[in-house]
Amino acid sequence: MLEIKDLKASINKKAILKGLNLTIKPGELHAIMGPNGSGKSTLANILSGKEGYEISGELNFNGESIKEISVEKRAQKGIFLAFQYPLEIPGVNTNNFLKTSLNSVRKARGEKELDTLSFLKLIKKTSYELGIDEGILSRQLNVGFSGGEKKKNEILQMKILNPKLSILDETDSGLDIDAIKIVAKGVNTLRNDKKSFLIITHYQRLLDYIKPDFVHVLSHGKIVKTGCSELAQELEKTGYKKIN
Amino acid sequence: MNQNFQINSKQIDKIQKITEEEKNFRIKNLEIFKEEGFPSKKLEDWKFSDFKRIVDNNFDELDTKTVVSHFDKVDLLKDFEHNYIFLVNGNLHSSNFDFEDKNKIKINSYDKSINYEINKNPLVCLNQAFAENGYSLEIDKNYKFNKVLVIYNIFTNDIKNKILNNKNKIRVNENSELHTIEYTINESKFKFINNVLENIILEKNSKLKNLNIQRKKNEGIFHKYLKNNLSLNSNYTNLIFSSGTKFNKLDIECNLIDQNINCNILSALFLGNNEHNEIKTCINHLAPNCKSYQQVKNVLNSNGKGIFQGKIYVKDLAQKTDAYQLGKALLLDDNAEFNSKPELEIYADDVKCSHGSSSGSIDEDSIYYMMSRGLSREQSKKLLIKGFLSDIVEHIKSPSIKKFVENKLEEQISEN
Ligand SMILES: Nc1ncnc2c1ncn2[C@@H]1O[C@H](COP(=O)(O)OP(=O)(O)OP(=O)(O)O)[C@@H](O)[C@H]1O
Ligand SMILES: [Mg+2]
């Protein structure tokens, strides 16, 4: 699914990722933990195609190099990033945005675009399943949403777009227990042997609900340790100091 | 004064059936205009819109003679049911009020009333010297329009090197309501100037909502001085949109002469290459407990220029005034320009006045966010632009009219 080899990235001459290797196979769920500023969001952004980084190394998605592929093409190929800080877009209705988004992805996949009615049906069903208040969907995209509502909206978008690779950048940060369960439910109901996940988190708590196949520690732009789910529990107790 | 600009005081002699007083008034206005010439940026009120330069750059010759033009027909808007009047080169041509009680409506070809006031705007003086046509509309007491009135403002394809001076008047009497859409259709392939003086009178408890938009992008040069007198409990809203005109200056004076008046000036403009739009307002709060709300939003593309000069005047006895003013621009190009100059003159102490202006460019992080959901850069940018203008469009209550305006904006955004 995803193959990252010796990825180095810098911004304004500042090196952030310093030779990162990571392979995620279909059906696998990987968690990435690591201290603040270690480069986790940078990795997520680069995978989604954000511009502005100087990059070297290999970046393959389903056997194809995606280094030169634009953000929207990557989304259309099935890469989804739930933002650490979702943006507020004034004047853009959430429902309309989700519909436009879904239809551009569907179009790229060669599927029929959804009309308003079928879209509304889908969104109603999905938000009900996840326990997300439909009220937010008729509002402007993320404008005035609480921190938790923004994160839930990201999970809703993930569910609707049905991506092959979902990257969650600290989606659980700042959430109450019920909201964390919603995030977990979003992931677990998508999870199957074809889909992959990369979950960036600071807390073991989310991993109680989503069992990862691998846990990596990212520090100073490199993966310095890889283990199974027990590693997360260990880190919760000891912190990152021992690893470095 | 431009060598090839022919103004001839003999033209005033030819105006029929006027009193000596009126004639003298016209001559006086002409003299002032001759002295001042076309307003240049040296005048404070014109510092962002150098009209003299516009004239010099666009015309080798220019005259003010009235024209009789051939007019076939234009297709009526199908987007919503409406009454209509046709103005051809500013002159009232015909009208249709099939949705209304016709006894309640007076429509005439020209407003003859003159208040013999000299305005300091030289273009108003020029208008006061020569204008002898336009339209005058009066709505009787206690009558609420069933459907919107569309004012088809048509310029024929033979209009060339002209200044058309028109004078209009709308009076809405007590307890009456009117909703108008001024829809400009410019069929001329040549350049001309349309210089309008318009007077709106809202009597007690009356309501007028006016919306401005053009059929499509055009080369016209427009100036309008709009003088509104608003009475007790009246409600005035002016919604200004654009499909793109080369030059447009709207100078709006609102006199809130009694209590509990609500006055709204709202604008959402997308200005493309070399389009110039100025909205200048002067809201005179002359009585207590009135509310005025002004919001002007411009999206400016390559070399587009947008100006909002808004003035709020609050007289000493106009306590409990609530006045708000905001100018906001989204710049899509480094060469685009937005000038916003708020001006407050407040003599009452118990008032709520706020004003502000801001301009910024497209937020790249927002574009990135939207693209990460599969939208193209163009789609994302368009959504941001429409989003920026949307709170103005939201003021349109009728869904079909809203859709109509949204489509026009969409066209304008897509073309650029
Ligand atoms: N545009 C930028 N310009 C300069 N430095 C940047 C830029 N973006 C990120 N960085 C730096 O790169 C480093 C990694 O940032 P990143 O956001 O990837 O960290 P993170 O691991 O996600 O941290 P956190 O856990 O706090 O979210 C930080 O030191 C950050 O300041
Ligand atoms: Mg981060």
mmCIF file with all atom_site columns, all heavy atoms in Angstrom, chain A residues 98-121:
data_model
loop_
_atom_site.group_PDB
_atom_site.id
_atom_site.type_symbol
_atom_site.label_atom_id
_atom_site.label_alt_id
_atom_site.label_comp_id
_atom_site.label_asym_id
_atom_site.label_entity_id
_atom_site.label_seq_id
_atom_site.pdbx_PDB_ins_code
_atom_site.Cartn_x
_atom_site.Cartn_y
_atom_site.Cartn_z
_atom_site.occupancy
_atom_site.B_iso_or_equiv
_atom_site.pdbx_formal_charge
_atom_site.auth_seq_id
_atom_site.auth_comp_id
_atom_site.auth_asym_id
_atom_site.auth_atom_id
_atom_site.pdbx_PDB_model_num
ATOM 1   N N   . LEU A 1 98  ? -18.919 18.637 1.347   1.00 0.00 ? 98  LEU A N   1
ATOM 2   C CA  . LEU A 1 98  ? -18.746 17.182 1.394   1.00 0.00 ? 98  LEU A CA  1
ATOM 3   C C   . LEU A 1 98  ? -19.231 16.531 0.107   1.00 0.00 ? 98  LEU A C   1
ATOM 4   O O   . LEU A 1 98  ? -18.620 15.594 -0.401  1.00 0.00 ? 98  LEU A O   1
ATOM 5   C CB  . LEU A 1 98  ? -19.501 16.594 2.590   1.00 0.00 ? 98  LEU A CB  1
ATOM 6   C CG  . LEU A 1 98  ? -18.982 16.950 3.968   1.00 0.00 ? 98  LEU A CG  1
ATOM 7   C CD1 . LEU A 1 98  ? -19.604 16.064 5.038   1.00 0.00 ? 98  LEU A CD1 1
ATOM 8   C CD2 . LEU A 1 98  ? -17.475 16.799 4.016   1.00 0.00 ? 98  LEU A CD2 1
ATOM 9   N N   . LYS A 1 99  ? -20.310 17.087 -0.436  1.00 0.00 ? 99  LYS A N   1
ATOM 10  C CA  . LYS A 1 99  ? -20.845 16.512 -1.674  1.00 0.00 ? 99  LYS A CA  1
ATOM 11  C C   . LYS A 1 99  ? -19.874 16.746 -2.833  1.00 0.00 ? 99  LYS A C   1
ATOM 12  O O   . LYS A 1 99  ? -19.589 15.829 -3.614  1.00 0.00 ? 99  LYS A O   1
ATOM 13  C CB  . LYS A 1 99  ? -22.208 17.142 -1.983  1.00 0.00 ? 99  LYS A CB  1
ATOM 14  C CG  . LYS A 1 99  ? -22.873 16.521 -3.175  1.00 0.00 ? 99  LYS A CG  1
ATOM 15  C CD  . LYS A 1 99  ? -24.305 17.039 -3.363  1.00 0.00 ? 99  LYS A CD  1
ATOM 16  C CE  . LYS A 1 99  ? -24.760 16.745 -4.764  1.00 0.00 ? 99  LYS A CE  1
ATOM 17  N NZ  . LYS A 1 99  ? -25.167 17.937 -5.503  1.00 0.00 ? 99  LYS A NZ  1
ATOM 18  N N   . THR A 1 100 ? -19.363 17.963 -2.935  1.00 0.00 ? 100 THR A N   1
ATOM 19  C CA  . THR A 1 100 ? -18.397 18.273 -3.996  1.00 0.00 ? 100 THR A CA  1
ATOM 20  C C   . THR A 1 100 ? -17.178 17.372 -3.868  1.00 0.00 ? 100 THR A C   1
ATOM 21  O O   . THR A 1 100 ? -16.673 16.823 -4.854  1.00 0.00 ? 100 THR A O   1
ATOM 22  C CB  . THR A 1 100 ? -17.929 19.745 -3.883  1.00 0.00 ? 100 THR A CB  1
ATOM 23  O OG1 . THR A 1 100 ? -19.070 20.571 -3.702  1.00 0.00 ? 100 THR A OG1 1
ATOM 24  C CG2 . THR A 1 100 ? -17.186 20.183 -5.125  1.00 0.00 ? 100 THR A CG2 1
ATOM 25  N N   . SER A 1 101 ? -16.721 17.232 -2.616  1.00 0.00 ? 101 SER A N   1
ATOM 26  C CA  . SER A 1 101 ? -15.553 16.416 -2.352  1.00 0.00 ? 101 SER A CA  1
ATOM 27  C C   . SER A 1 101 ? -15.808 14.958 -2.752  1.00 0.00 ? 101 SER A C   1
ATOM 28  O O   . SER A 1 101 ? -15.036 14.356 -3.497  1.00 0.00 ? 101 SER A O   1
ATOM 29  C CB  . SER A 1 101 ? -15.226 16.544 -0.865  1.00 0.00 ? 101 SER A CB  1
ATOM 30  O OG  . SER A 1 101 ? -14.412 15.509 -0.436  1.00 0.00 ? 101 SER A OG  1
ATOM 31  N N   . LEU A 1 102 ? -16.911 14.417 -2.270  1.00 0.00 ? 102 LEU A N   1
ATOM 32  C CA  . LEU A 1 102 ? -17.220 13.016 -2.563  1.00 0.00 ? 102 LEU A CA  1
ATOM 33  C C   . LEU A 1 102 ? -17.334 12.800 -4.069  1.00 0.00 ? 102 LEU A C   1
ATOM 34  O O   . LEU A 1 102 ? -16.808 11.830 -4.613  1.00 0.00 ? 102 LEU A O   1
ATOM 35  C CB  . LEU A 1 102 ? -18.519 12.599 -1.865  1.00 0.00 ? 102 LEU A CB  1
ATOM 36  C CG  . LEU A 1 102 ? -19.006 11.184 -2.173  1.00 0.00 ? 102 LEU A CG  1
ATOM 37  C CD1 . LEU A 1 102 ? -17.960 10.145 -1.770  1.00 0.00 ? 102 LEU A CD1 1
ATOM 38  C CD2 . LEU A 1 102 ? -20.319 10.884 -1.464  1.00 0.00 ? 102 LEU A CD2 1
ATOM 39  N N   . ASN A 1 103 ? -18.005 13.731 -4.740  1.00 0.00 ? 103 ASN A N   1
ATOM 40  C CA  . ASN A 1 103 ? -18.209 13.527 -6.168  1.00 0.00 ? 103 ASN A CA  1
ATOM 41  C C   . ASN A 1 103 ? -16.924 13.658 -6.978  1.00 0.00 ? 103 ASN A C   1
ATOM 42  O O   . ASN A 1 103 ? -16.764 12.958 -7.974  1.00 0.00 ? 103 ASN A O   1
ATOM 43  C CB  . ASN A 1 103 ? -19.310 14.443 -6.692  1.00 0.00 ? 103 ASN A CB  1
ATOM 44  C CG  . ASN A 1 103 ? -20.695 13.862 -6.407  1.00 0.00 ? 103 ASN A CG  1
ATOM 45  O OD1 . ASN A 1 103 ? -20.816 12.640 -6.238  1.00 0.00 ? 103 ASN A OD1 1
ATOM 46  N ND2 . ASN A 1 103 ? -21.705 14.697 -6.335  1.00 0.00 ? 103 ASN A ND2 1
ATOM 47  N N   . SER A 1 104 ? -16.001 14.504 -6.528  1.00 0.00 ? 104 SER A N   1
ATOM 48  C CA  . SER A 1 104 ? -14.746 14.536 -7.294  1.00 0.00 ? 104 SER A CA  1
ATOM 49  C C   . SER A 1 104 ? -13.959 13.241 -7.095  1.00 0.00 ? 104 SER A C   1
ATOM 50  O O   . SER A 1 104 ? -13.316 12.761 -8.019  1.00 0.00 ? 104 SER A O   1
ATOM 51  C CB  . SER A 1 104 ? -13.876 15.768 -6.990  1.00 0.00 ? 104 SER A CB  1
ATOM 52  O OG  . SER A 1 104 ? -14.142 16.287 -5.748  1.00 0.00 ? 104 SER A OG  1
ATOM 53  N N   . VAL A 1 105 ? -14.045 12.675 -5.887  1.00 0.00 ? 105 VAL A N   1
ATOM 54  C CA  . VAL A 1 105 ? -13.358 11.407 -5.641  1.00 0.00 ? 105 VAL A CA  1
ATOM 55  C C   . VAL A 1 105 ? -14.045 10.266 -6.406  1.00 0.00 ? 105 VAL A C   1
ATOM 56  O O   . VAL A 1 105 ? -13.394 9.441  -7.054  1.00 0.00 ? 105 VAL A O   1
ATOM 57  C CB  . VAL A 1 105 ? -13.288 11.115 -4.129  1.00 0.00 ? 105 VAL A CB  1
ATOM 58  C CG1 . VAL A 1 105 ? -12.804 9.703  -3.863  1.00 0.00 ? 105 VAL A CG1 1
ATOM 59  C CG2 . VAL A 1 105 ? -12.376 12.123 -3.438  1.00 0.00 ? 105 VAL A CG2 1
ATOM 60  N N   . ARG A 1 106 ? -15.367 10.274 -6.364  1.00 0.00 ? 106 ARG A N   1
ATOM 61  C CA  . ARG A 1 106 ? -16.112 9.225  -7.085  1.00 0.00 ? 106 ARG A CA  1
ATOM 62  C C   . ARG A 1 106 ? -15.829 9.289  -8.582  1.00 0.00 ? 106 ARG A C   1
ATOM 63  O O   . ARG A 1 106 ? -15.642 8.276  -9.237  1.00 0.00 ? 106 ARG A O   1
ATOM 64  C CB  . ARG A 1 106 ? -17.614 9.356  -6.838  1.00 0.00 ? 106 ARG A CB  1
ATOM 65  C CG  . ARG A 1 106 ? -18.053 8.917  -5.442  1.00 0.00 ? 106 ARG A CG  1
ATOM 66  C CD  . ARG A 1 106 ? -19.556 9.074  -5.278  1.00 0.00 ? 106 ARG A CD  1
ATOM 67  N NE  . ARG A 1 106 ? -20.280 8.100  -6.092  1.00 0.00 ? 106 ARG A NE  1
ATOM 68  C CZ  . ARG A 1 106 ? -20.776 6.964  -5.610  1.00 0.00 ? 106 ARG A CZ  1
ATOM 69  N NH1 . ARG A 1 106 ? -20.625 6.660  -4.338  1.00 0.00 ? 106 ARG A NH1 1
ATOM 70  N NH2 . ARG A 1 106 ? -21.428 6.134  -6.401  1.00 0.00 ? 106 ARG A NH2 1
ATOM 71  N N   . LYS A 1 107 ? -15.828 10.492 -9.102  1.00 0.00 ? 107 LYS A N   1
ATOM 72  C CA  . LYS A 1 107 ? -15.581 10.698 -10.527 1.00 0.00 ? 107 LYS A CA  1
ATOM 73  C C   . LYS A 1 107 ? -14.224 10.108 -10.916 1.00 0.00 ? 107 LYS A C   1
ATOM 74  O O   . LYS A 1 107 ? -14.103 9.386  -11.901 1.00 0.00 ? 107 LYS A O   1
ATOM 75  C CB  . LYS A 1 107 ? -15.614 12.201 -10.833 1.00 0.00 ? 107 LYS A CB  1
ATOM 76  C CG  . LYS A 1 107 ? -15.979 12.519 -12.273 1.00 0.00 ? 107 LYS A CG  1
ATOM 77  C CD  . LYS A 1 107 ? -16.278 13.990 -12.406 1.00 0.00 ? 107 LYS A CD  1
ATOM 78  C CE  . LYS A 1 107 ? -15.750 14.535 -13.713 1.00 0.00 ? 107 LYS A CE  1
ATOM 79  N NZ  . LYS A 1 107 ? -15.792 16.002 -13.722 1.00 0.00 ? 107 LYS A NZ  1
ATOM 80  N N   . ALA A 1 108 ? -13.219 10.424 -10.069 1.00 0.00 ? 108 ALA A N   1
ATOM 81  C CA  . ALA A 1 108 ? -11.873 9.926  -10.347 1.00 0.00 ? 108 ALA A CA  1
ATOM 82  C C   . ALA A 1 108 ? -11.817 8.401  -10.292 1.00 0.00 ? 108 ALA A C   1
ATOM 83  O O   . ALA A 1 108 ? -11.041 7.771  -10.996 1.00 0.00 ? 108 ALA A O   1
ATOM 84  C CB  . ALA A 1 108 ? -10.880 10.527 -9.363  1.00 0.00 ? 108 ALA A CB  1
ATOM 85  N N   . ARG A 1 109 ? -12.665 7.813  -9.437  1.00 0.00 ? 109 ARG A N   1
ATOM 86  C CA  . ARG A 1 109 ? -12.679 6.350  -9.327  1.00 0.00 ? 109 ARG A CA  1
ATOM 87  C C   . ARG A 1 109 ? -13.531 5.700  -10.411 1.00 0.00 ? 109 ARG A C   1
ATOM 88  O O   . ARG A 1 109 ? -13.699 4.499  -10.442 1.00 0.00 ? 109 ARG A O   1
ATOM 89  C CB  . ARG A 1 109 ? -13.257 5.946  -7.954  1.00 0.00 ? 109 ARG A CB  1
ATOM 90  C CG  . ARG A 1 109 ? -12.317 6.222  -6.798  1.00 0.00 ? 109 ARG A CG  1
ATOM 91  C CD  . ARG A 1 109 ? -12.696 5.419  -5.548  1.00 0.00 ? 109 ARG A CD  1
ATOM 92  N NE  . ARG A 1 109 ? -13.978 5.821  -4.983  1.00 0.00 ? 109 ARG A NE  1
ATOM 93  C CZ  . ARG A 1 109 ? -14.133 6.219  -3.710  1.00 0.00 ? 109 ARG A CZ  1
ATOM 94  N NH1 . ARG A 1 109 ? -13.104 6.282  -2.906  1.00 0.00 ? 109 ARG A NH1 1
ATOM 95  N NH2 . ARG A 1 109 ? -15.316 6.540  -3.255  1.00 0.00 ? 109 ARG A NH2 1
ATOM 96  N N   . GLY A 1 110 ? -14.116 6.551  -11.269 1.00 0.00 ? 110 GLY A N   1
ATOM 97  C CA  . GLY A 1 110 ? -14.966 6.029  -12.333 1.00 0.00 ? 110 GLY A CA  1
ATOM 98  C C   . GLY A 1 110 ? -16.347 5.637  -11.856 1.00 0.00 ? 110 GLY A C   1
ATOM 99  O O   . GLY A 1 110 ? -17.050 4.863  -12.497 1.00 0.00 ? 110 GLY A O   1
ATOM 100 N N   . GLU A 1 111 ? -16.749 6.167  -10.700 1.00 0.00 ? 111 GLU A N   1
ATOM 101 C CA  . GLU A 1 111 ? -18.090 5.862  -10.196 1.00 0.00 ? 111 GLU A CA  1
ATOM 102 C C   . GLU A 1 111 ? -19.043 6.984  -10.560 1.00 0.00 ? 111 GLU A C   1
ATOM 103 O O   . GLU A 1 111 ? -18.629 8.102  -10.872 1.00 0.00 ? 111 GLU A O   1
ATOM 104 C CB  . GLU A 1 111 ? -18.056 5.705  -8.669  1.00 0.00 ? 111 GLU A CB  1
ATOM 105 C CG  . GLU A 1 111 ? -17.230 4.524  -8.211  1.00 0.00 ? 111 GLU A CG  1
ATOM 106 C CD  . GLU A 1 111 ? -16.953 4.556  -6.703  1.00 0.00 ? 111 GLU A CD  1
ATOM 107 O OE1 . GLU A 1 111 ? -17.495 5.455  -6.008  1.00 0.00 ? 111 GLU A OE1 1
ATOM 108 O OE2 . GLU A 1 111 ? -16.187 3.711  -6.238  1.00 0.00 ? 111 GLU A OE2 1
ATOM 109 N N   . LYS A 1 112 ? -20.323 6.677  -10.484 1.00 0.00 ? 112 LYS A N   1
ATOM 110 C CA  . LYS A 1 112 ? -21.337 7.669  -10.803 1.00 0.00 ? 112 LYS A CA  1
ATOM 111 C C   . LYS A 1 112 ? -21.375 8.736  -9.705  1.00 0.00 ? 112 LYS A C   1
ATOM 112 O O   . LYS A 1 112 ? -21.260 8.423  -8.525  1.00 0.00 ? 112 LYS A O   1
ATOM 113 C CB  . LYS A 1 112 ? -22.708 6.990  -10.900 1.00 0.00 ? 112 LYS A CB  1
ATOM 114 C CG  . LYS A 1 112 ? -23.612 7.619  -11.937 1.00 0.00 ? 112 LYS A CG  1
ATOM 115 C CD  . LYS A 1 112 ? -24.881 6.782  -12.095 1.00 0.00 ? 112 LYS A CD  1
ATOM 116 C CE  . LYS A 1 112 ? -26.095 7.604  -11.811 1.00 0.00 ? 112 LYS A CE  1
ATOM 117 N NZ  . LYS A 1 112 ? -26.867 7.389  -10.633 1.00 0.00 ? 112 LYS A NZ  1
ATOM 118 N N   . GLU A 1 113 ? -21.539 9.994  -10.104 1.00 0.00 ? 113 GLU A N   1
ATOM 119 C CA  . GLU A 1 113 ? -21.654 11.043 -9.093  1.00 0.00 ? 113 GLU A CA  1
ATOM 120 C C   . GLU A 1 113 ? -23.001 10.921 -8.395  1.00 0.00 ? 113 GLU A C   1
ATOM 121 O O   . GLU A 1 113 ? -23.977 10.514 -9.002  1.00 0.00 ? 113 GLU A O   1
ATOM 122 C CB  . GLU A 1 113 ? -21.504 12.420 -9.747  1.00 0.00 ? 113 GLU A CB  1
ATOM 123 C CG  . GLU A 1 113 ? -20.097 12.660 -10.266 1.00 0.00 ? 113 GLU A CG  1
ATOM 124 C CD  . GLU A 1 113 ? -19.890 14.069 -10.803 1.00 0.00 ? 113 GLU A CD  1
ATOM 125 O OE1 . GLU A 1 113 ? -20.480 15.005 -10.243 1.00 0.00 ? 113 GLU A OE1 1
ATOM 126 O OE2 . GLU A 1 113 ? -19.131 14.198 -11.782 1.00 0.00 ? 113 GLU A OE2 1
ATOM 127 N N   . LEU A 1 114 ? -23.033 11.275 -7.126  1.00 0.00 ? 114 LEU A N   1
ATOM 128 C CA  . LEU A 1 114 ? -24.289 11.176 -6.378  1.00 0.00 ? 114 LEU A CA  1
ATOM 129 C C   . LEU A 1 114 ? -25.117 12.440 -6.552  1.00 0.00 ? 114 LEU A C   1
ATOM 130 O O   . LEU A 1 114 ? -24.585 13.545 -6.518  1.00 0.00 ? 114 LEU A O   1
ATOM 131 C CB  . LEU A 1 114 ? -23.995 10.980 -4.882  1.00 0.00 ? 114 LEU A CB  1
ATOM 132 C CG  . LEU A 1 114 ? -23.426 9.638  -4.424  1.00 0.00 ? 114 LEU A CG  1
ATOM 133 C CD1 . LEU A 1 114 ? -23.426 9.576  -2.900  1.00 0.00 ? 114 LEU A CD1 1
ATOM 134 C CD2 . LEU A 1 114 ? -24.233 8.478  -4.996  1.00 0.00 ? 114 LEU A CD2 1
ATOM 135 N N   . ASP A 1 115 ? -26.423 12.251 -6.719  1.00 0.00 ? 115 ASP A N   1
ATOM 136 C CA  . ASP A 1 115 ? -27.281 13.435 -6.730  1.00 0.00 ? 115 ASP A CA  1
ATOM 137 C C   . ASP A 1 115 ? -27.552 13.862 -5.295  1.00 0.00 ? 115 ASP A C   1
ATOM 138 O O   . ASP A 1 115 ? -27.220 13.136 -4.346  1.00 0.00 ? 115 ASP A O   1
ATOM 139 C CB  . ASP A 1 115 ? -28.586 13.163 -7.483  1.00 0.00 ? 115 ASP A CB  1
ATOM 140 C CG  . ASP A 1 115 ? -29.339 11.992 -6.903  1.00 0.00 ? 115 ASP A CG  1
ATOM 141 O OD1 . ASP A 1 115 ? -29.354 11.846 -5.662  1.00 0.00 ? 115 ASP A OD1 1
ATOM 142 O OD2 . ASP A 1 115 ? -29.927 11.213 -7.682  1.00 0.00 ? 115 ASP A OD2 1
ATOM 143 N N   . THR A 1 116 ? -28.137 15.024 -5.141  1.00 0.00 ? 116 THR A N   1
ATOM 144 C CA  . THR A 1 116 ? -28.302 15.585 -3.803  1.00 0.00 ? 116 THR A CA  1
ATOM 145 C C   . THR A 1 116 ? -29.033 14.637 -2.863  1.00 0.00 ? 116 THR A C   1
ATOM 146 O O   . THR A 1 116 ? -28.650 14.467 -1.710  1.00 0.00 ? 116 THR A O   1
ATOM 147 C CB  . THR A 1 116 ? -29.057 16.924 -3.897  1.00 0.00 ? 116 THR A CB  1
ATOM 148 O OG1 . THR A 1 116 ? -28.355 17.731 -4.835  1.00 0.00 ? 116 THR A OG1 1
ATOM 149 C CG2 . THR A 1 116 ? -29.106 17.637 -2.572  1.00 0.00 ? 116 THR A CG2 1
ATOM 150 N N   . LEU A 1 117 ? -30.073 14.016 -3.405  1.00 0.00 ? 117 LEU A N   1
ATOM 151 C CA  . LEU A 1 117 ? -30.893 13.167 -2.549  1.00 0.00 ? 117 LEU A CA  1
ATOM 152 C C   . LEU A 1 117 ? -30.114 11.965 -2.018  1.00 0.00 ? 117 LEU A C   1
ATOM 153 O O   . LEU A 1 117 ? -30.112 11.695 -0.815  1.00 0.00 ? 117 LEU A O   1
ATOM 154 C CB  . LEU A 1 117 ? -32.130 12.712 -3.336  1.00 0.00 ? 117 LEU A CB  1
ATOM 155 C CG  . LEU A 1 117 ? -33.362 12.508 -2.478  1.00 0.00 ? 117 LEU A CG  1
ATOM 156 C CD1 . LEU A 1 117 ? -33.851 13.830 -1.899  1.00 0.00 ? 117 LEU A CD1 1
ATOM 157 C CD2 . LEU A 1 117 ? -34.468 11.834 -3.298  1.00 0.00 ? 117 LEU A CD2 1
ATOM 158 N N   . SER A 1 118 ? -29.429 11.258 -2.910  1.00 0.00 ? 118 SER A N   1
ATOM 159 C CA  . SER A 1 118 ? -28.674 10.082 -2.454  1.00 0.00 ? 118 SER A CA  1
ATOM 160 C C   . SER A 1 118 ? -27.534 10.509 -1.547  1.00 0.00 ? 118 SER A C   1
ATOM 161 O O   . SER A 1 118 ? -27.186 9.801  -0.605  1.00 0.00 ? 118 SER A O   1
ATOM 162 C CB  . SER A 1 118 ? -28.109 9.258  -3.614  1.00 0.00 ? 118 SER A CB  1
ATOM 163 O OG  . SER A 1 118 ? -28.571 9.685  -4.839  1.00 0.00 ? 118 SER A OG  1
ATOM 164 N N   . PHE A 1 119 ? -26.970 11.683 -1.831  1.00 0.00 ? 119 PHE A N   1
ATOM 165 C CA  . PHE A 1 119 ? -25.909 12.167 -0.953  1.00 0.00 ? 119 PHE A CA  1
ATOM 166 C C   . PHE A 1 119 ? -26.442 12.397 0.459   1.00 0.00 ? 119 PHE A C   1
ATOM 167 O O   . PHE A 1 119 ? -25.856 11.955 1.443   1.00 0.00 ? 119 PHE A O   1
ATOM 168 C CB  . PHE A 1 119 ? -25.279 13.449 -1.497  1.00 0.00 ? 119 PHE A CB  1
ATOM 169 C CG  . PHE A 1 119 ? -24.343 14.086 -0.513  1.00 0.00 ? 119 PHE A CG  1
ATOM 170 C CD1 . PHE A 1 119 ? -23.067 13.579 -0.321  1.00 0.00 ? 119 PHE A CD1 1
ATOM 171 C CD2 . PHE A 1 119 ? -24.758 15.161 0.271   1.00 0.00 ? 119 PHE A CD2 1
ATOM 172 C CE1 . PHE A 1 119 ? -22.215 14.136 0.612   1.00 0.00 ? 119 PHE A CE1 1
ATOM 173 C CE2 . PHE A 1 119 ? -23.912 15.719 1.210   1.00 0.00 ? 119 PHE A CE2 1
ATOM 174 C CZ  . PHE A 1 119 ? -22.639 15.204 1.376   1.00 0.00 ? 119 PHE A CZ  1
ATOM 175 N N   . LEU A 1 120 ? -27.567 13.079 0.526   1.00 0.00 ? 120 LEU A N   1
ATOM 176 C CA  . LEU A 1 120 ? -28.128 13.394 1.844   1.00 0.00 ? 120 LEU A CA  1
ATOM 177 C C   . LEU A 1 120 ? -28.477 12.130 2.628   1.00 0.00 ? 120 LEU A C   1
ATOM 178 O O   . LEU A 1 120 ? -28.297 12.054 3.840   1.00 0.00 ? 120 LEU A O   1
ATOM 179 C CB  . LEU A 1 120 ? -29.351 14.307 1.705   1.00 0.00 ? 120 LEU A CB  1
ATOM 180 C CG  . LEU A 1 120 ? -29.026 15.744 1.300   1.00 0.00 ? 120 LEU A CG  1
ATOM 181 C CD1 . LEU A 1 120 ? -30.293 16.555 1.085   1.00 0.00 ? 120 LEU A CD1 1
ATOM 182 C CD2 . LEU A 1 120 ? -28.127 16.426 2.338   1.00 0.00 ? 120 LEU A CD2 1
ATOM 183 N N   . LYS A 1 121 ? -28.943 11.142 1.900   1.00 0.00 ? 121 LYS A N   1
ATOM 184 C CA  . LYS A 1 121 ? -29.254 9.859  2.523   1.00 0.00 ? 121 LYS A CA  1
ATOM 185 C C   . LYS A 1 121 ? -27.992 9.249  3.132   1.00 0.00 ? 121 LYS A C   1
ATOM 186 O O   . LYS A 1 121 ? -27.987 8.801  4.270   1.00 0.00 ? 121 LYS A O   1
ATOM 187 C CB  . LYS A 1 121 ? -29.797 8.909  1.444   1.00 0.00 ? 121 LYS A CB  1
ATOM 188 C CG  . LYS A 1 121 ? -31.210 8.439  1.681   1.00 0.00 ? 121 LYS A CG  1
ATOM 189 C CD  . LYS A 1 121 ? -31.529 7.532  0.530   1.00 0.00 ? 121 LYS A CD  1
ATOM 190 C CE  . LYS A 1 121 ? -32.859 6.854  0.590   1.00 0.00 ? 121 LYS A CE  1
ATOM 191 N NZ  . LYS A 1 121 ? -33.162 6.262  -0.723  1.00 0.00 ? 121 LYS A NZ  1
#
